[in-house]
Amino acid sequence: MSNIYGGRGLEISSGIGAEVKDSSGKYYIDFLCGNGSELFGHCHPALMKAAHEALNYPWTCSPGLQNTARDGFRKILSGLMQNGKVFLCNSGTEAIEASIKLAISISAERGKRKKIIALRRAFHGRTMGALAMTFNPVYKKSWSEFLIPVQHVKMEEAADAIDNDTAFVIAEPMQGEGGVFPMSEVIARNITEKCKRTGTLIIADEIQSGWGRCGAILASHDIGLEPDIVALAKGIAGGLPIGVVVWKGEIGDFPARGHGSTYGGNPVCASVGIASWQLLLQEKLPDRAVTNGNTFVSMLREINSPFITEIRHKGLLIGVELTLKSEPVVKALQDKGVLALPAGPQVLRFLPPFVAEERHFREVTQILKNTLEEIEP
């Protein structure tokens, strides 16, 4: 097998809610959650029920045919945008690729605009189009000469960089991989206003921030960013592979046969997506994300450590900036029973599921405190 992902030396054998066990029976609090895709926690009964029922019907359906689950999920998703149109695929990076192609095709109809703007620290995926939008040169170095040109600017300089030659700007309302940096309302509104004046499209990458994790179905709308196109993925089908593009219907569409996906809108994934939407509304999970995120961050801020310089968060997307390299801390936490992940060289990232409880936040806080205390200043 390829060693492209490295390895944590850990085999997960079971899990429920915010907890997992490895093959030796050791218990862990899982705030890694499949890089955020287990948004509802492991083995959520409502999502398992939806998946089990869907498995009694055809598991796939040609994109040209109608399907009750797929059509029902599309209807839900279309309501996220004005007269929304929807394209379904299988992952976040596929959703970004589709968003890029859609934006380019629509911009071409508006004139020969060539400029594309993305943000420094941005991460949008590893396929060729998404990789061009991604900032970190470490991800790009082997393919840089083949990527389309993109101008990467500081978040606070984005509005000034947009002009009449700009085809689109792509942004995360809450940068995750790049270090957990929230976009301010001032910056979001400035970008929106400048794009309206110049006729520039906005793509919002909500793959990690969307579907309630940051306290709203779309974090963009919560801060005043008004995207024309939104990419979603991660936890919207409870961890099953899915990607979504939703866009304002009035801006246009893909050209005929301009894009496609064999498995996009898989009926099993769509069925679980519908169930996850119902959970979001019935249990007011975006509100819970805000409450639990604030609770957890309040606990983390009680840690008196010289190694913590800042804690940034929005809902249940939390970053702890350190004076240390983050990867050794992630490994030390794992050894003590906490799964987390880095967000850049010196940021520790936690992605708790909606179902995480106060006891989990308290235990993770104590383990992080103990871990940092064991490090020589």
Side-chain angles (χ1 to χ4, degrees), residues 15-53:
I16 188 161
E19 303 171 9
V20 295
K21 289 183 178 179
D22 67 16
S23 53
S24 70
K26 182 179 176 180
Y27 154 90
Y28 299 82
I29 296 174
D30 188 3
F31 282 6
L32 165 61
C33 283
N35 287 26
S37 63
E38 290 283 359
L39 181 56
F40 296 83
H42 300 281
C43 300
H44 193 291
L47 303 188
M48 290 183 69
K49 180 174 182 290
H52 288 160
E53 290 177 355

PDB file of all heavy atoms in Angstrom, residues 15-53:
ATOM      1  N   GLY A  15     -16.545   2.199  17.810  1.00  0.00           N
ATOM      2  CA  GLY A  15     -16.770   3.563  18.268  1.00  0.00           C
ATOM      3  C   GLY A  15     -18.243   3.865  18.396  1.00  0.00           C
ATOM      4  O   GLY A  15     -19.072   3.295  17.680  1.00  0.00           O
ATOM      5  N   ILE A  16     -18.556   4.752  19.312  1.00  0.00           N
ATOM      6  CA  ILE A  16     -19.919   5.246  19.453  1.00  0.00           C
ATOM      7  C   ILE A  16     -19.865   6.662  20.005  1.00  0.00           C
ATOM      8  O   ILE A  16     -19.071   6.956  20.913  1.00  0.00           O
ATOM      9  CB  ILE A  16     -20.775   4.323  20.357  1.00  0.00           C
ATOM     10  CG1 ILE A  16     -22.242   4.763  20.323  1.00  0.00           C
ATOM     11  CG2 ILE A  16     -20.256   4.283  21.783  1.00  0.00           C
ATOM     12  CD1 ILE A  16     -23.211   3.692  20.776  1.00  0.00           C
ATOM     13  N   GLY A  17     -20.636   7.538  19.413  1.00  0.00           N
ATOM     14  CA  GLY A  17     -20.629   8.927  19.845  1.00  0.00           C
ATOM     15  C   GLY A  17     -19.275   9.563  19.639  1.00  0.00           C
ATOM     16  O   GLY A  17     -18.710   9.530  18.551  1.00  0.00           O
ATOM     17  N   ALA A  18     -18.728  10.139  20.710  1.00  0.00           N
ATOM     18  CA  ALA A  18     -17.428  10.815  20.647  1.00  0.00           C
ATOM     19  C   ALA A  18     -16.292   9.916  21.128  1.00  0.00           C
ATOM     20  O   ALA A  18     -15.187  10.405  21.372  1.00  0.00           O
ATOM     21  CB  ALA A  18     -17.468  12.086  21.479  1.00  0.00           C
ATOM     22  N   GLU A  19     -16.551   8.615  21.244  1.00  0.00           N
ATOM     23  CA  GLU A  19     -15.549   7.700  21.795  1.00  0.00           C
ATOM     24  C   GLU A  19     -15.268   6.562  20.825  1.00  0.00           C
ATOM     25  O   GLU A  19     -16.162   6.087  20.135  1.00  0.00           O
ATOM     26  CB  GLU A  19     -16.045   7.137  23.125  1.00  0.00           C
ATOM     27  CG  GLU A  19     -16.369   8.209  24.154  1.00  0.00           C
ATOM     28  CD  GLU A  19     -17.064   7.655  25.391  1.00  0.00           C
ATOM     29  OE1 GLU A  19     -17.146   6.409  25.517  1.00  0.00           O
ATOM     30  OE2 GLU A  19     -17.525   8.461  26.223  1.00  0.00           O
ATOM     31  N   VAL A  20     -14.007   6.131  20.781  1.00  0.00           N
ATOM     32  CA  VAL A  20     -13.618   4.972  19.990  1.00  0.00           C
ATOM     33  C   VAL A  20     -12.706   4.079  20.824  1.00  0.00           C
ATOM     34  O   VAL A  20     -12.169   4.495  21.859  1.00  0.00           O
ATOM     35  CB  VAL A  20     -12.885   5.379  18.678  1.00  0.00           C
ATOM     36  CG1 VAL A  20     -13.814   6.129  17.753  1.00  0.00           C
ATOM     37  CG2 VAL A  20     -11.635   6.196  18.978  1.00  0.00           C
ATOM     38  N   LYS A  21     -12.538   2.847  20.350  1.00  0.00           N
ATOM     39  CA  LYS A  21     -11.575   1.924  20.953  1.00  0.00           C
ATOM     40  C   LYS A  21     -10.680   1.374  19.858  1.00  0.00           C
ATOM     41  O   LYS A  21     -11.110   1.196  18.713  1.00  0.00           O
ATOM     42  CB  LYS A  21     -12.290   0.775  21.668  1.00  0.00           C
ATOM     43  CG  LYS A  21     -13.001   1.196  22.948  1.00  0.00           C
ATOM     44  CD  LYS A  21     -13.616  -0.003  23.650  1.00  0.00           C
ATOM     45  CE  LYS A  21     -14.289   0.413  24.954  1.00  0.00           C
ATOM     46  NZ  LYS A  21     -14.921  -0.734  25.648  1.00  0.00           N
ATOM     47  N   ASP A  22      -9.429   1.096  20.245  1.00  0.00           N
ATOM     48  CA  ASP A  22      -8.523   0.497  19.273  1.00  0.00           C
ATOM     49  C   ASP A  22      -8.587  -1.017  19.370  1.00  0.00           C
ATOM     50  O   ASP A  22      -9.351  -1.580  20.170  1.00  0.00           O
ATOM     51  CB  ASP A  22      -7.105   1.047  19.436  1.00  0.00           C
ATOM     52  CG  ASP A  22      -6.436   0.640  20.745  1.00  0.00           C
ATOM     53  OD1 ASP A  22      -6.921  -0.306  21.423  1.00  0.00           O
ATOM     54  OD2 ASP A  22      -5.408   1.260  21.092  1.00  0.00           O
ATOM     55  N   SER A  23      -7.773  -1.692  18.569  1.00  0.00           N
ATOM     56  CA  SER A  23      -7.829  -3.155  18.493  1.00  0.00           C
ATOM     57  C   SER A  23      -7.400  -3.837  19.784  1.00  0.00           C
ATOM     58  O   SER A  23      -7.676  -5.015  19.988  1.00  0.00           O
ATOM     59  CB  SER A  23      -6.963  -3.642  17.323  1.00  0.00           C
ATOM     60  OG  SER A  23      -5.653  -3.110  17.421  1.00  0.00           O
ATOM     61  N   SER A  24      -6.742  -3.100  20.678  1.00  0.00           N
ATOM     62  CA  SER A  24      -6.367  -3.676  21.978  1.00  0.00           C
ATOM     63  C   SER A  24      -7.398  -3.369  23.057  1.00  0.00           C
ATOM     64  O   SER A  24      -7.245  -3.797  24.194  1.00  0.00           O
ATOM     65  CB  SER A  24      -4.997  -3.127  22.416  1.00  0.00           C
ATOM     66  OG  SER A  24      -5.098  -1.753  22.763  1.00  0.00           O
ATOM     67  N   GLY A  25      -8.431  -2.607  22.699  1.00  0.00           N
ATOM     68  CA  GLY A  25      -9.470  -2.264  23.661  1.00  0.00           C
ATOM     69  C   GLY A  25      -9.258  -0.940  24.368  1.00  0.00           C
ATOM     70  O   GLY A  25     -10.058  -0.556  25.222  1.00  0.00           O
ATOM     71  N   LYS A  26      -8.195  -0.200  24.019  1.00  0.00           N
ATOM     72  CA  LYS A  26      -7.933   1.084  24.657  1.00  0.00           C
ATOM     73  C   LYS A  26      -8.948   2.122  24.195  1.00  0.00           C
ATOM     74  O   LYS A  26      -9.305   2.189  23.027  1.00  0.00           O
ATOM     75  CB  LYS A  26      -6.518   1.565  24.321  1.00  0.00           C
ATOM     76  CG  LYS A  26      -6.139   2.884  24.996  1.00  0.00           C
ATOM     77  CD  LYS A  26      -4.718   3.317  24.648  1.00  0.00           C
ATOM     78  CE  LYS A  26      -4.376   4.665  25.246  1.00  0.00           C
ATOM     79  NZ  LYS A  26      -2.996   5.095  24.913  1.00  0.00           N
ATOM     80  N   TYR A  27      -9.384   2.952  25.136  1.00  0.00           N
ATOM     81  CA  TYR A  27     -10.414   3.968  24.908  1.00  0.00           C
ATOM     82  C   TYR A  27      -9.786   5.304  24.509  1.00  0.00           C
ATOM     83  O   TYR A  27      -8.744   5.693  25.027  1.00  0.00           O
ATOM     84  CB  TYR A  27     -11.217   4.105  26.204  1.00  0.00           C
ATOM     85  CG  TYR A  27     -11.899   5.417  26.450  1.00  0.00           C
ATOM     86  CD1 TYR A  27     -13.208   5.647  26.008  1.00  0.00           C
ATOM     87  CD2 TYR A  27     -11.266   6.438  27.169  1.00  0.00           C
ATOM     88  CE1 TYR A  27     -13.844   6.846  26.275  1.00  0.00           C
ATOM     89  CE2 TYR A  27     -11.903   7.638  27.441  1.00  0.00           C
ATOM     90  CZ  TYR A  27     -13.187   7.839  26.980  1.00  0.00           C
ATOM     91  OH  TYR A  27     -13.818   9.023  27.247  1.00  0.00           O
ATOM     92  N   TYR A  28     -10.438   6.003  23.577  1.00  0.00           N
ATOM     93  CA  TYR A  28      -9.998   7.332  23.148  1.00  0.00           C
ATOM     94  C   TYR A  28     -11.207   8.256  23.036  1.00  0.00           C
ATOM     95  O   TYR A  28     -12.301   7.819  22.636  1.00  0.00           O
ATOM     96  CB  TYR A  28      -9.332   7.290  21.763  1.00  0.00           C
ATOM     97  CG  TYR A  28      -8.108   6.434  21.670  1.00  0.00           C
ATOM     98  CD1 TYR A  28      -8.209   5.051  21.490  1.00  0.00           C
ATOM     99  CD2 TYR A  28      -6.831   7.000  21.743  1.00  0.00           C
ATOM    100  CE1 TYR A  28      -7.082   4.264  21.394  1.00  0.00           C
ATOM    101  CE2 TYR A  28      -5.695   6.215  21.643  1.00  0.00           C
ATOM    102  CZ  TYR A  28      -5.824   4.841  21.480  1.00  0.00           C
ATOM    103  OH  TYR A  28      -4.706   4.053  21.388  1.00  0.00           O
ATOM    104  N   ILE A  29     -11.009   9.519  23.355  1.00  0.00           N
ATOM    105  CA  ILE A  29     -11.969  10.550  22.981  1.00  0.00           C
ATOM    106  C   ILE A  29     -11.580  11.009  21.582  1.00  0.00           C
ATOM    107  O   ILE A  29     -10.448  11.429  21.351  1.00  0.00           O
ATOM    108  CB  ILE A  29     -11.946  11.731  23.962  1.00  0.00           C
ATOM    109  CG1 ILE A  29     -12.381  11.269  25.356  1.00  0.00           C
ATOM    110  CG2 ILE A  29     -12.867  12.849  23.475  1.00  0.00           C
ATOM    111  CD1 ILE A  29     -12.246  12.341  26.419  1.00  0.00           C
ATOM    112  N   ASP A  30     -12.538  10.925  20.670  1.00  0.00           N
ATOM    113  CA  ASP A  30     -12.235  11.207  19.270  1.00  0.00           C
ATOM    114  C   ASP A  30     -12.655  12.624  18.901  1.00  0.00           C
ATOM    115  O   ASP A  30     -13.826  12.885  18.600  1.00  0.00           O
ATOM    116  CB  ASP A  30     -12.942  10.191  18.376  1.00  0.00           C
ATOM    117  CG  ASP A  30     -12.507  10.311  16.922  1.00  0.00           C
ATOM    118  OD1 ASP A  30     -11.627  11.143  16.635  1.00  0.00           O
ATOM    119  OD2 ASP A  30     -13.049   9.568  16.075  1.00  0.00           O
ATOM    120  N   PHE A  31     -11.693  13.536  18.938  1.00  0.00           N
ATOM    121  CA  PHE A  31     -11.903  14.902  18.461  1.00  0.00           C
ATOM    122  C   PHE A  31     -11.166  15.116  17.136  1.00  0.00           C
ATOM    123  O   PHE A  31     -10.927  16.238  16.711  1.00  0.00           O
ATOM    124  CB  PHE A  31     -11.452  15.925  19.500  1.00  0.00           C
ATOM    125  CG  PHE A  31     -12.443  16.129  20.630  1.00  0.00           C
ATOM    126  CD1 PHE A  31     -13.577  15.339  20.749  1.00  0.00           C
ATOM    127  CD2 PHE A  31     -12.239  17.113  21.579  1.00  0.00           C
ATOM    128  CE1 PHE A  31     -14.487  15.523  21.792  1.00  0.00           C
ATOM    129  CE2 PHE A  31     -13.134  17.316  22.620  1.00  0.00           C
ATOM    130  CZ  PHE A  31     -14.264  16.518  22.728  1.00  0.00           C
ATOM    131  N   LEU A  32     -10.797  14.010  16.495  1.00  0.00           N
ATOM    132  CA  LEU A  32     -10.299  13.987  15.119  1.00  0.00           C
ATOM    133  C   LEU A  32     -11.469  13.713  14.176  1.00  0.00           C
ATOM    134  O   LEU A  32     -11.644  14.381  13.169  1.00  0.00           O
ATOM    135  CB  LEU A  32      -9.218  12.916  14.990  1.00  0.00           C
ATOM    136  CG  LEU A  32      -8.790  12.450  13.611  1.00  0.00           C
ATOM    137  CD1 LEU A  32      -8.206  13.583  12.798  1.00  0.00           C
ATOM    138  CD2 LEU A  32      -7.783  11.302  13.725  1.00  0.00           C
ATOM    139  N   CYS A  33     -12.263  12.687  14.533  1.00  0.00           N
ATOM    140  CA  CYS A  33     -13.534  12.387  13.863  1.00  0.00           C
ATOM    141  C   CYS A  33     -13.429  12.365  12.344  1.00  0.00           C
ATOM    142  O   CYS A  33     -14.164  13.071  11.630  1.00  0.00           O
ATOM    143  CB  CYS A  33     -14.607  13.380  14.306  1.00  0.00           C
ATOM    144  SG  CYS A  33     -15.254  13.032  15.949  1.00  0.00           S
ATOM    145  N   GLY A  34     -12.503  11.559  11.854  1.00  0.00           N
ATOM    146  CA  GLY A  34     -12.372  11.438  10.399  1.00  0.00           C
ATOM    147  C   GLY A  34     -12.120  12.766   9.737  1.00  0.00           C
ATOM    148  O   GLY A  34     -12.736  13.098   8.721  1.00  0.00           O
ATOM    149  N   ASN A  35     -11.185  13.562  10.327  1.00  0.00           N
ATOM    150  CA  ASN A  35     -10.890  14.918   9.840  1.00  0.00           C
ATOM    151  C   ASN A  35     -12.162  15.770   9.744  1.00  0.00           C
ATOM    152  O   ASN A  35     -12.306  16.592   8.854  1.00  0.00           O
ATOM    153  CB  ASN A  35     -10.174  14.884   8.497  1.00  0.00           C
ATOM    154  CG  ASN A  35      -8.734  14.436   8.631  1.00  0.00           C
ATOM    155  OD1 ASN A  35      -8.385  13.722   9.569  1.00  0.00           O
ATOM    156  ND2 ASN A  35      -7.896  14.837   7.714  1.00  0.00           N
ATOM    157  N   GLY A  36     -13.065  15.543  10.692  1.00  0.00           N
ATOM    158  CA  GLY A  36     -14.285  16.348  10.766  1.00  0.00           C
ATOM    159  C   GLY A  36     -15.491  15.736  10.106  1.00  0.00           C
ATOM    160  O   GLY A  36     -16.602  16.272  10.217  1.00  0.00           O
ATOM    161  N   SER A  37     -15.323  14.607   9.417  1.00  0.00           N
ATOM    162  CA  SER A  37     -16.453  14.039   8.679  1.00  0.00           C
ATOM    163  C   SER A  37     -17.455  13.319   9.585  1.00  0.00           C
ATOM    164  O   SER A  37     -18.626  13.167   9.232  1.00  0.00           O
ATOM    165  CB  SER A  37     -15.956  13.084   7.589  1.00  0.00           C
ATOM    166  OG  SER A  37     -15.276  11.984   8.149  1.00  0.00           O
ATOM    167  N   GLU A  38     -17.013  12.863  10.754  1.00  0.00           N
ATOM    168  CA  GLU A  38     -17.941  12.243  11.707  1.00  0.00           C
ATOM    169  C   GLU A  38     -18.583  13.344  12.551  1.00  0.00           C
ATOM    170  O   GLU A  38     -18.489  13.368  13.777  1.00  0.00           O
ATOM    171  CB  GLU A  38     -17.192  11.237  12.592  1.00  0.00           C
ATOM    172  CG  GLU A  38     -16.743   9.983  11.864  1.00  0.00           C
ATOM    173  CD  GLU A  38     -17.885   8.997  11.637  1.00  0.00           C
ATOM    174  OE1 GLU A  38     -19.027   9.268  12.049  1.00  0.00           O
ATOM    175  OE2 GLU A  38     -17.615   7.936  11.041  1.00  0.00           O
ATOM    176  N   LEU A  39     -19.269  14.248  11.893  1.00  0.00           N
ATOM    177  CA  LEU A  39     -19.842  15.418  12.535  1.00  0.00           C
ATOM    178  C   LEU A  39     -20.885  15.048  13.578  1.00  0.00           C
ATOM    179  O   LEU A  39     -21.051  15.742  14.588  1.00  0.00           O
ATOM    180  CB  LEU A  39     -20.459  16.317  11.458  1.00  0.00           C
ATOM    181  CG  LEU A  39     -21.116  17.618  11.853  1.00  0.00           C
ATOM    182  CD1 LEU A  39     -20.160  18.515  12.627  1.00  0.00           C
ATOM    183  CD2 LEU A  39     -21.634  18.342  10.625  1.00  0.00           C
ATOM    184  N   PHE A  40     -21.602  13.958  13.354  1.00  0.00           N
ATOM    185  CA  PHE A  40     -22.658  13.519  14.263  1.00  0.00           C
ATOM    186  C   PHE A  40     -22.170  12.439  15.233  1.00  0.00           C
ATOM    187  O   PHE A  40     -22.971  11.856  15.969  1.00  0.00           O
ATOM    188  CB  PHE A  40     -23.851  12.993  13.472  1.00  0.00           C
ATOM    189  CG  PHE A  40     -24.510  14.047  12.621  1.00  0.00           C
ATOM    190  CD1 PHE A  40     -24.001  14.363  11.363  1.00  0.00           C
ATOM    191  CD2 PHE A  40     -25.618  14.743  13.070  1.00  0.00           C
ATOM    192  CE1 PHE A  40     -24.598  15.338  10.573  1.00  0.00           C
ATOM    193  CE2 PHE A  40     -26.217  15.720  12.289  1.00  0.00           C
ATOM    194  CZ  PHE A  40     -25.696  16.024  11.036  1.00  0.00           C
ATOM    195  N   GLY A  41     -20.869  12.182  15.232  1.00  0.00           N
ATOM    196  CA  GLY A  41     -20.323  11.134  16.071  1.00  0.00           C
ATOM    197  C   GLY A  41     -20.439   9.781  15.389  1.00  0.00           C
ATOM    198  O   GLY A  41     -21.043   9.632  14.324  1.00  0.00           O
ATOM    199  N   HIS A  42     -19.866   8.790  16.024  1.00  0.00           N
ATOM    200  CA  HIS A  42     -19.851   7.437  15.458  1.00  0.00           C
ATOM    201  C   HIS A  42     -21.167   6.717  15.733  1.00  0.00           C
ATOM    202  O   HIS A  42     -21.706   6.783  16.841  1.00  0.00           O
ATOM    203  CB  HIS A  42     -18.693   6.631  16.053  1.00  0.00           C
ATOM    204  CG  HIS A  42     -17.353   7.226  15.779  1.00  0.00           C
ATOM    205  ND1 HIS A  42     -16.703   7.079  14.573  1.00  0.00           N
ATOM    206  CD2 HIS A  42     -16.536   7.996  16.547  1.00  0.00           C
ATOM    207  CE1 HIS A  42     -15.540   7.723  14.617  1.00  0.00           C
ATOM    208  NE2 HIS A  42     -15.429   8.286  15.808  1.00  0.00           N
ATOM    209  N   CYS A  43     -21.655   6.034  14.698  1.00  0.00           N
ATOM    210  CA  CYS A  43     -22.812   5.133  14.828  1.00  0.00           C
ATOM    211  C   CYS A  43     -24.034   5.834  15.408  1.00  0.00           C
ATOM    212  O   CYS A  43     -24.720   5.298  16.292  1.00  0.00           O
ATOM    213  CB  CYS A  43     -22.442   3.909  15.681  1.00  0.00           C
ATOM    214  SG  CYS A  43     -21.088   2.931  15.012  1.00  0.00           S
ATOM    215  N   HIS A  44     -24.337   7.013  14.926  1.00  0.00           N
ATOM    216  CA  HIS A  44     -25.537   7.712  15.394  1.00  0.00           C
ATOM    217  C   HIS A  44     -26.757   6.884  14.997  1.00  0.00           C
ATOM    218  O   HIS A  44     -26.924   6.523  13.822  1.00  0.00           O
ATOM    219  CB  HIS A  44     -25.617   9.104  14.784  1.00  0.00           C
ATOM    220  CG  HIS A  44     -26.638   9.982  15.440  1.00  0.00           C
ATOM    221  ND1 HIS A  44     -27.998   9.755  15.335  1.00  0.00           N
ATOM    222  CD2 HIS A  44     -26.497  11.072  16.249  1.00  0.00           C
ATOM    223  CE1 HIS A  44     -28.652  10.656  16.020  1.00  0.00           C
ATOM    224  NE2 HIS A  44     -27.764  11.475  16.588  1.00  0.00           N
ATOM    225  N   PRO A  45     -27.639   6.566  15.944  1.00  0.00           N
ATOM    226  CA  PRO A  45     -28.752   5.640  15.632  1.00  0.00           C
ATOM    227  C   PRO A  45     -29.659   6.116  14.508  1.00  0.00           C
ATOM    228  O   PRO A  45     -30.118   5.303  13.691  1.00  0.00           O
ATOM    229  CB  PRO A  45     -29.509   5.534  16.966  1.00  0.00           C
ATOM    230  CG  PRO A  45     -28.996   6.636  17.830  1.00  0.00           C
ATOM    231  CD  PRO A  45     -27.614   6.930  17.365  1.00  0.00           C
ATOM    232  N   ALA A  46     -29.938   7.415  14.432  1.00  0.00           N
ATOM    233  CA  ALA A  46     -30.829   7.905  13.374  1.00  0.00           C
ATOM    234  C   ALA A  46     -30.186   7.757  12.001  1.00  0.00           C
ATOM    235  O   ALA A  46     -30.868   7.427  11.014  1.00  0.00           O
ATOM    236  CB  ALA A  46     -31.186   9.372  13.637  1.00  0.00           C
ATOM    237  N   LEU A  47     -28.876   7.978  11.923  1.00  0.00           N
ATOM    238  CA  LEU A  47     -28.184   7.855  10.642  1.00  0.00           C
ATOM    239  C   LEU A  47     -27.998   6.387  10.265  1.00  0.00           C
ATOM    240  O   LEU A  47     -28.094   6.030   9.078  1.00  0.00           O
ATOM    241  CB  LEU A  47     -26.836   8.571  10.703  1.00  0.00           C
ATOM    242  CG  LEU A  47     -26.884  10.063  11.075  1.00  0.00           C
ATOM    243  CD1 LEU A  47     -25.503  10.699  10.913  1.00  0.00           C
ATOM    244  CD2 LEU A  47     -27.910  10.813  10.242  1.00  0.00           C
ATOM    245  N   MET A  48     -27.737   5.547  11.255  1.00  0.00           N
ATOM    246  CA  MET A  48     -27.625   4.110  10.976  1.00  0.00           C
ATOM    247  C   MET A  48     -28.952   3.553  10.471  1.00  0.00           C
ATOM    248  O   MET A  48     -28.988   2.740   9.540  1.00  0.00           O
ATOM    249  CB  MET A  48     -27.171   3.370  12.230  1.00  0.00           C
ATOM    250  CG  MET A  48     -25.726   3.656  12.629  1.00  0.00           C
ATOM    251  SD  MET A  48     -25.207   2.701  14.061  1.00  0.00           S
ATOM    252  CE  MET A  48     -25.179   1.049  13.384  1.00  0.00           C
ATOM    253  N   LYS A  49     -30.043   4.003  11.065  1.00  0.00           N
ATOM    254  CA  LYS A  49     -31.374   3.548  10.634  1.00  0.00           C
ATOM    255  C   LYS A  49     -31.619   3.945   9.177  1.00  0.00           C
ATOM    256  O   LYS A  49     -32.089   3.129   8.371  1.00  0.00           O
ATOM    257  CB  LYS A  49     -32.445   4.161  11.541  1.00  0.00           C
ATOM    258  CG  LYS A  49     -33.878   3.763  11.208  1.00  0.00           C
ATOM    259  CD  LYS A  49     -34.838   4.317  12.259  1.00  0.00           C
ATOM    260  CE  LYS A  49     -36.271   3.889  11.964  1.00  0.00           C
ATOM    261  NZ  LYS A  49     -36.830   4.546  10.783  1.00  0.00           N
ATOM    262  N   ALA A  50     -31.282   5.186   8.837  1.00  0.00           N
ATOM    263  CA  ALA A  50     -31.476   5.646   7.461  1.00  0.00           C
ATOM    264  C   ALA A  50     -30.628   4.839   6.488  1.00  0.00           C
ATOM    265  O   ALA A  50     -31.091   4.461   5.402  1.00  0.00           O
ATOM    266  CB  ALA A  50     -31.132   7.133   7.366  1.00  0.00           C
ATOM    267  N   ALA A  51     -29.377   4.553   6.874  1.00  0.00           N
ATOM    268  CA  ALA A  51     -28.486   3.774   5.998  1.00  0.00           C
ATOM    269  C   ALA A  51     -28.988   2.348   5.829  1.00  0.00           C
ATOM    270  O   ALA A  51     -29.012   1.812   4.709  1.00  0.00           O
ATOM    271  CB  ALA A  51     -27.077   3.778   6.565  1.00  0.00           C
ATOM    272  N   HIS A  52     -29.403   1.721   6.922  1.00  0.00           N
ATOM    273  CA  HIS A  52     -29.879   0.328   6.853  1.00  0.00           C
ATOM    274  C   HIS A  52     -31.115   0.223   5.970  1.00  0.00           C
ATOM    275  O   HIS A  52     -31.248  -0.715   5.173  1.00  0.00           O
ATOM    276  CB  HIS A  52     -30.188  -0.183   8.263  1.00  0.00           C
ATOM    277  CG  HIS A  52     -28.969  -0.439   9.075  1.00  0.00           C
ATOM    278  ND1 HIS A  52     -28.983  -0.514  10.453  1.00  0.00           N
ATOM    279  CD2 HIS A  52     -27.678  -0.643   8.719  1.00  0.00           C
ATOM    280  CE1 HIS A  52     -27.763  -0.748  10.897  1.00  0.00           C
ATOM    281  NE2 HIS A  52     -26.954  -0.827   9.862  1.00  0.00           N
ATOM    282  N   GLU A  53     -32.021   1.174   6.092  1.00  0.00           N
ATOM    283  CA  GLU A  53     -33.227   1.136   5.258  1.00  0.00           C
ATOM    284  C   GLU A  53     -32.873   1.345   3.791  1.00  0.00           C
ATOM    285  O   GLU A  53     -33.425   0.678   2.911  1.00  0.00           O
ATOM    286  CB  GLU A  53     -34.208   2.207   5.730  1.00  0.00           C
ATOM    287  CG  GLU A  53     -34.838   1.885   7.089  1.00  0.00           C
ATOM    288  CD  GLU A  53     -35.751   2.988   7.592  1.00  0.00           C
ATOM    289  OE1 GLU A  53     -35.828   4.053   6.934  1.00  0.00           O
ATOM    290  OE2 GLU A  53     -36.389   2.795   8.653  1.00  0.00           O
TER     291      GLU A  53
END
